[in-house]
Amino acid sequence: MTTSQALQTYDVLIVGGGHGGAQAAIALRQRGFPGSIAIVGEEADLPYERPPLSKDYLLGGKPFERMLLRPAAFWAERDVTMLLGQRVTAVDADARRVTTADGLTIGYGDLIWATGGHPRRLVCTGHDLTGVHSVRTRADIDRLLGELPAVTRVVVIGGGYIGLEAAAALTKLGKAVTLIEAQDRVLARVAGRTLSVFYAAEHRANGVDLRTGIGVDCIEGDARVTGVRLSDGTLLPCEMAIVGIGIVPAVEPLLAAGAEGGNGVRVDATCRTSLPHVYAIGDCAAHANAFADGAEIRLESVQNANDMATTAARAILGEDVPYRATPWFWSNQYDLKLQTVGLSAGHNAEVVRGDRTTRSFSVVYLKGGRVVALDCVNAVKDYVQGRALVEAGAVIDPARLADAGEPLKAMLIS
């Protein structure tokens, strides 16, 4: 490494090569930013879509090249330097520079922290055995796929979106899947009971052995996993275990540098951290969200990463436009397309639109009488039209909301 390389400085340095980091660079160039830009990515790959990892990519239905957010030529044409396979381990906010695990020192004018998070690990014995996998990166799935031909039984630990999507994909691939969820229902953190009951039934109907209200004691095996021991003593024999129990925001270097935060790094309405010239976006950014009644939360979604990226880019360009994007999410499992708009946390009523037995319906979430979110299963019209109700915090008679014959868009104007 030469001295000039070690002291390279960029006008904007983006740490993190996921959706947020890529969109930050794109937004800067789209808005005419003339300075130098570099993205430091922990992975060796160019920025790519993450949602297909637990779905189409795992199933072999989408080649990696089609998951790239932009081809290599795009970044070259826009003079965005890619520093891939580099993990930032330290930030010196006073000197405006970062240091990587390989000892590379990079200076910056403004820093955008877009690192997302790392999979939360089990703390029990056996968590590091061969055959125990996370679902976060392309390399994670490639390792999993390399082992899959020798696997007949899989235990999935965690009943959130990642766990359920992995269970659906592996079931389609002909594996015997058991899914374990410590809480009393799947999707407990992100959806109401109606949706949880529906998805649990769907997975069981597709052959998944779904067990809720039970924890993991340990993972057994010598060099390789041979089984998962549950907290009640039950042993589930398997050749593979997949752990999907959330992420830990990757913010240690920022916090060590003095940034405010804890479960993520705290940012203001324009994505600024408490450190000068340092912004944070995406999964790792704790922010006051208007759709959570101003509570400080982290949103783990592509929407949040992209919209925060644009907010930070505009702030760097002198346009302070507060972040107030409408949250939305999606999940594909079997032939079910779930689309969510708004945040259902804290809701105190659920209204079901449509017939669940037709596998096309919506759940409207109310909080203090206001529409705060919708979960739409194979119900695209409700998803599209329901957005306006969420944004308006509309107060509508639950009986009208339940009438699937009345379009949601008609309820806001009458």
Side-chain angles (χ1 to χ4, degrees):
M1 183 188 301
T2 67
T3 302
S4 61
Q5 286 176 323
L7 299 177
Q8 180 66 58
T9 297
Y10 297 90
D11 294 308
V12 175
L13 180 65
I14 301 166
V15 179
H19 288 270
Q23 180 58 33
I26 292 169
L28 284 166
R29 289 297 189 230
Q30 284 179 335
R31 294 177 178 275
F33 180 72
S36 56
I37 302 173
I39 295 177
V40 183
E42 189 171 337
E43 297 178 66
D45 295 305
L46 291 170
Y48 61 88
E49 295 179 80
R50 293 193 187 278
L53 288 174
S54 56
K55 301 181 274 287
D56 293 341
Y57 187 65
L58 178 54
L59 284 168
K62 191 168 190 176
F64 181 73
E65 292 69 27
R66 287 180 51 209
M67 290 166 56
L68 290 174
L69 293 174
R70 298 289 191 279
F74 174 92
W75 304 110
E77 290 165 0
R78 285 152 186 81
D79 197 19
V80 176
T81 300
M82 289 290 176
L83 304 173
L84 302 178
Q86 296 280 351
R87 180 170 58 89
V88 171
T89 55
V91 176
D92 185 334
D94 293 328
R96 291 205 215 177
R97 64 189 182 196
V98 305
T99 304
T100 72
D102 292 341
L104 182 66
T105 300
I106 312 167
Y108 62 84
D110 288 293
L111 176 67
I112 300 179
W113 195 263
T115 52
H118 297 123
R120 189 177 298 279
R121 306 290 183 182
L122 291 172
V123 295
C124 63
T125 57
H127 69 90
D128 54 353
L129 289 172
T130 299
V132 179
H133 296 273
S134 299
V135 177
R136 186 67 179 176
T137 67
R138 177 197 185 186
D140 291 337
I141 303 301
D142 286 347
R143 281 191 295 269
L144 188 159
L145 288 171
E147 298 177 17
L148 211 52
V151 170
T152 58
R153 297 165 297 184
V154 182
V155 174
V156 177
I157 301 167
Y161 288 129
I162 291 294
L164 292 178
E165 288 169 359
L170 291 166
T171 299
K172 282 186 175 181
L173 293 172
K175 308 304 177 184
V177 178
T178 301
L179 188 143
I180 306 301
E181 169 53 52
Q183 297 196 58
D184 66 351
R185 60 187 178 92
V186 299
L187 300 175
R189 190 171 63 90
V190 295
R193 191 166 294 276
T194 299
L195 201 74
S196 297
V197 170
F198 174 80
Y199 270 92
E202 286 290 329
H203 278 273
R204 288 180 172 127
N206 279 278
V208 175
D209 180 359
L210 177 59
R211 307 187 189 195
T212 58
I214 190 74
V216 172
D217 178 66
C218 66
I219 297 180
E220 298 193 355
D222 188 3
R224 180 176 189 85
V225 58
T226 58
V228 175
R229 179 80 62 180
L230 303 183
S231 54
D232 65 359
T234 302
L235 177 65
L236 301 174
C238 64
E239 299 82 39
M240 177 179 287
I242 296 176
V243 181
I245 55 174
I247 67 167
V248 178
V251 293
E252 297 90 342
L254 276 191
L255 299 183
E260 295 178 4
N263 178 24
V265 62
R266 184 172 292 123
V267 299
D268 68 9
T270 54
C271 298
R272 289 180 172 90
T273 72
S274 60
L275 299 176
H277 299 282
V278 179
Y279 300 77
I281 62 175
D283 292 5
C284 68
H287 63 284
N289 191 285
F291 292 87
D293 296 328
E296 185 177 278
I297 63 172
R298 289 188 305 103
L299 273 184
E300 299 172 12
S301 73
V302 171
Q303 165 271 315
N304 180 60
N306 285 343
D307 288 331
M308 276 192 154
T310 300
T311 298
R314 295 181 72 172
I316 287 171
L317 289 165
E319 307 171 33
D320 283 357
V321 181
Y323 173 88
R324 200 189 182 283
T326 305
W328 54 264
F329 315 84
W330 79 93
S331 177
N332 295 329
Q333 300 166 43
Y334 308 111
D335 59 345
L336 301 170
K337 184 176 183 64
L338 170 65
Q339 295 171 289
T340 299
V341 61
L343 300 175
S344 63
H347 71 274
N348 51 25
E350 299 178 25
V351 178
V352 178
R353 281 174 60 82
D355 185 353
R356 280 163 282 185
T357 62
T358 68
R359 305 171 79 248
S360 175
F361 68 98
S362 298
V363 181
V364 184
Y365 296 97
L366 306 180
K367 187 176 182 179
R370 295 179 297 113
V371 176
V372 295
L374 288 89
D375 279 326
C376 306
V377 179
N378 293 341
V380 177
K381 284 186 179 179
D382 278 0
Y383 170 72
V384 172
Q385 297 179 17
R387 180 188 182 105
L389 273 63
V390 171
E391 291 174 340
V395 177
I396 298 169
D397 183 349
R400 289 187 69 193
L401 289 171
D403 181 3
E406 181 178 4
L408 290 174
K409 64 181 179 181
M411 299 182 188
L412 202 58
I413 58 177
S414 60

